[in-house]
Amino acid sequence: MTEQTIQVEVAYAREHAQALLPVQGETGMTVADAIERSGIQARFPEIDLAVNKVGIFGKVTKLDQVLASGDRVEIYPPLIADPKQARKQRAGGEKG
């Protein structure tokens, strides 16, 4: 590995499948570049970068964020329910 090359991982998980793919690229590689190079969208065609949020180690970021060696790019599935509403329903605070 040279000084111009960085190593990152791209992660995605859903209920019954997950992937953690290593990606190598040049310094200056962005989140979008890493996702494209990983080929993860071919494996999980439901990923839509116009809908799915992305992050680095659990912190939401933008697709044009430049990566550092060792970063883990995460693709988050869309929420099924609003967390606040789900909490209210579980607590019995909302009927119906």
Side-chain angles (χ1 to χ4, degrees):
M1 199 160 89
T2 68
E3 292 169 8
Q4 275 79 31
T5 302
I6 63 170
Q7 194 77 18
V8 299
E9 295 176 318
V10 175
Y12 179 70
R14 58 183 192 192
E15 188 175 352
H16 297 291
Q18 58 276 334
L20 182 63
L21 306 172
V23 176
Q24 185 173 313
E26 299 79 31
T27 301
M29 179 170 57
T30 65
V31 169
D33 296 335
I35 291 169
E36 183 180 336
R37 286 176 190 238
S38 74
I40 200 162
Q41 289 174 292
R43 189 168 173 183
F44 298 99
E46 73 271 15
I47 294 174
D48 180 353
L49 296 178
V51 175
N52 295 84
K53 291 187 178 187
V54 296
I56 299 171
F57 289 120
K59 185 175 179 183
V60 175
T61 193
K62 296 184 180 199
L63 291 169
D64 62 358
Q65 173 66 45
V66 175
L67 297 168
S69 195
D71 281 347
R72 182 182 63 227
V73 174
E74 300 161 340
I75 305 168
Y76 307 120
L79 294 177
I80 296 170
D82 177 15
K84 290 181 184 178
Q85 292 293 12
R87 225 177 351 263
K88 282 182 184 178
Q89 288 176 344
R90 283 193 306 270
E94 184 176 307
K95 305 221 180 343

